[in-house]
Amino acid sequence: MQPIRKLSSNTLPWPTDWAAVFGTDHPLILEIGFGYGQYLEHLHHQQSDANIIGIEINNTCLVKAEKAIPRKGMHNVRVVHTTAETALHHLFAPQSLKQVHINFPDPWFKERHAGRRLMQRDTLDAIVSRLQPDGMLYLATDILPYAEMSAELLEETPALTNTLPTPWGHEIP
């Protein structure tokens, strides 16, 4: 696999033609904040018939993932340097995402930093607007207050239906 060009919300068209980026028109899966990319690799193996996009703002994580993609033959994975808010509002067309994965977002514990949390009404509304009608949102956190805050926010979102029998699960399905 040839090296993949570096992608950024500063250089991609708004909205982005993801079929052109990937060369295929497969369903789109988004991971917000992919860290070092282990879950992107998992998605690559589990969803080989999908185009997987990881967004991240940390340059160290981006460089590591950009190197791993061709080395590991992850033909259906691309990473983009951008914030979640920019990506959701500008890079993705409405109802274009089959799945959105958010794994262990920074909880921003201090109250004065609460505005930096990913799980907020505006961001959640943007996620919902980009999900296809049968799309899925997956959120994982190991911080109980963040789980409680997120569960309340998700419960208040009429366009979403929790498929779990409880507000959240305690085990990975």
Side-chain angles (χ1 to χ4, degrees), residues 27-38:
L28 291 178
I29 295 175
L30 173 66
E31 183 183 9
I32 297 174
F34 60 80
Y36 288 111
Q38 296 95 332

Side-chain angles (χ1 to χ4, degrees), residues 18-19 26 32 65 116 122 154-155:
W18 293 105
H26 294 307
I32 297 174
R116 296 180 178 178
D122 290 347
L154 292 164
E155 177 79 22

Side-chain angles (χ1 to χ4, degrees), residues 21-44:
V21 170
F22 283 96
T24 64
D25 194 20
H26 294 307
L28 291 178
I29 295 175
L30 173 66
E31 183 183 9
I32 297 174
F34 60 80
Y36 288 111
Q38 296 95 332
Y39 194 72
L40 287 174
E41 185 175 358
H42 168 78
L43 287 171
H44 160 72

